[in-house]
Amino acid sequence: MSSNNVEEKVNHASNSKGISLPMTRVKLIMKSSPDVSSINQEALLLTTKATELFVQHLALSSFNNGSGKDQTLLYSDLANTVEEKETFQFLTDILPKKILVRDYLKLLEENPIEEADN
Amino acid sequence: MEGDGSTTDASQLGMPGEYMAGSHYVLQSQDDDCDESLHDHEEGNGSKENFREQDIYLPIANVARIMKNAVPQTGKIAKDAKECVQECVSEFISFITSEPLKLYLQKFREAMKGEKGIGGISVTEGLGEELTDDSFANQLPAGIITADGQQQNVMVYTTSYQQIPGVQQIQFS
């Protein structure tokens, strides 16, 4: 089978400057999904590379979208980008916007939360 | 105050300078095989948590380095931004692992039901990466799927040789 050849290519890619994320860790996270038993080497490589590109895309989008103060990427930039861009919608649950307690209390006073059963 | 250490009740957070996140990110512990696969990783210490932080996230140094290379040279990155991207990354990996699988299973089930006669062939389009070549090395059963009285010749892909209801086997010489 060509699996040996594939493995060689995969190892070469991870040793050279192509990939900077640990593939074993990526594999572990992939396996944490239900119904996943084994993972193809090529798929693992592809996923790792895609993850890298994702980080770049998220970082750059948030940076450009950001407040521009001191050229610093802040958590709030990330939260805003995730809310605005459709491609990042799947992250809305883990990237909530942060709010100061006093602002939240003020918000509660203005709009009291009703105990309605929806 | 309640016994558990953390509280999201705003009225109990006295300090006005505190940040409060809208929702807390909760790790789901799975009680199935995933436990074993994690524990026969290097350390076998009986850790109570099913997922340790270093296991479910990619190393923050790597993540931070990629971020730094992505933004312009003079840019800086806040520490909590790095940590949160680390979490997003794990979420991303889980997302792209599970989504193709769901799509595949959905198409597979539709094909099995015979609702889409030719769907048996389109199953390959939605294949998750989890299936290696070995699963198709076995002889592919062919059959006639009858749905609503219509008979269609179709190749049915199965991962193991099995009788599929509604499909009559055709012998290929």
Side-chain angles (χ1 to χ4, degrees):
Chain A
M1 286 284 279
S2 61
S3 58
N4 277 341
N5 197 13
V6 169
E7 272 196 49
E8 278 174 25
K9 282 190 198 165
V10 164
N11 289 334
H12 180 66
S14 55
N15 291 336
S16 67
K17 305 258 172 72
I19 297 254
S20 51
L21 292 171
M23 290 208 292
T24 43
R25 194 72 69 81
V26 173
K27 187 171 185 175
L28 201 64
I29 300 173
M30 287 176 87
K31 283 197 162 191
S32 72
S33 283
D35 298 329
V36 172
S37 51
S38 63
I39 299 180
N40 193 356
Q41 271 291 77
E42 287 178 320
L44 178 60
L45 178 64
L46 198 65
T47 305
T48 310
K49 189 63 188 173
T51 308
E52 213 176 284
L53 295 174
F54 166 75
V55 172
Q56 291 174 354
H57 184 48
L58 179 60
L60 194 58
S61 297
S62 304
F63 189 82
N64 291 335
N65 197 24
S67 41
K69 244 187 279 185
D70 300 329
Q71 293 249 301
T72 307
L73 177 61
L74 301 168
Y75 177 89
S76 51
D77 300 332
L78 288 168
N80 288 333
T81 306
V82 157
E83 193 178 313
E84 288 162 22
K85 295 225 166 150
E86 205 181 312
T87 41
F88 296 127
Q89 289 287 310
F90 70 99
L91 293 169
T92 45
D93 282 340
I94 65 172
L95 266 181
K97 291 196 178 180
K98 286 188 185 168
I99 182 174
L100 284 172
V101 171
R102 59 163 176 256
D103 291 341
Y104 179 73
L105 292 173
K106 218 188 293 177
L107 212 66
L108 273 183
E109 281 170 34
E110 292 165 11
N111 311 311
I113 298 173
E114 290 165 6
E115 299 288 317
D117 296 317
N118 285 340
Chain B
M1 272 235 289
E2 294 297 310
D4 57 333
S6 66
T7 174
T8 52
D9 186 2
S11 61
Q12 295 191 18
L13 293 170
M15 297 164 56
E18 286 276 346
Y19 275 85
M20 186 184 76
S23 65
H24 193 56
Y25 182 46
V26 175
L27 296 175
Q28 284 180 326
S29 63
Q30 294 171 343
D31 292 322
D32 57 2
D33 295 340
C34 278
D35 265 35
E36 280 125 42
S37 67
L38 266 178
H39 283 315
D40 61 73
H41 212 47
E42 54 262 24
E43 285 128 1
N45 61 348
S47 154
K48 293 283 186 207
E49 283 180 344
N50 293 331
F51 294 98
R52 295 169 304 181
E53 205 176 277
Q54 66 241 50
D55 287 338
I56 62 166
Y57 297 146
L58 296 183
I60 194 164
N62 300 47
V63 172
R65 195 186 326 134
I66 300 173
M67 287 175 78
K68 231 175 173 340
N69 291 335
V71 299
Q73 278 290 75
T74 53
K76 289 175 282 189
I77 306 172
K79 181 162 192 272
D80 57 353
K82 287 185 205 171
E83 286 169 356
C84 127
V85 168
Q86 195 187 18
E87 291 178 16
C88 292
V89 159
S90 293
E91 179 71 18
F92 172 75
I93 294 173
S94 301
F95 187 67
I96 64 173
T97 306
S98 60
E99 283 301 303
L101 184 60
K102 272 193 244 166
L103 191 68
Y104 158 73
L105 286 175
Q106 182 192 1
K107 284 197 173 181
F108 192 77
R109 286 181 192 129
E110 280 172 9
M112 289 305 106
K113 280 191 228 157
E115 284 166 12
K116 301 187 178 184
I118 306 296
I121 298 180
S122 72
V123 163
T124 51
E125 293 167 11
L127 277 182
E129 305 127 346
E130 293 75 29
L131 297 177
T132 63
D133 289 341
D134 288 341
S135 53
F136 296 105
N138 300 328
Q139 190 166 26
L140 305 172
I144 303 174
I145 289 189
T146 59
D148 302 314
Q150 286 178 344
Q151 288 190 345
Q152 297 177 21
N153 287 336
V154 70
M155 192 79 92
V156 176
Y157 291 94
T158 56
T159 52
S160 63
Y161 190 77
Q162 59 189 359
Q163 294 292 332
I164 303 159
V167 176
Q168 301 166 19
Q169 304 293 334
I170 302 176
Q171 294 303 323
F172 276 10
S173 56

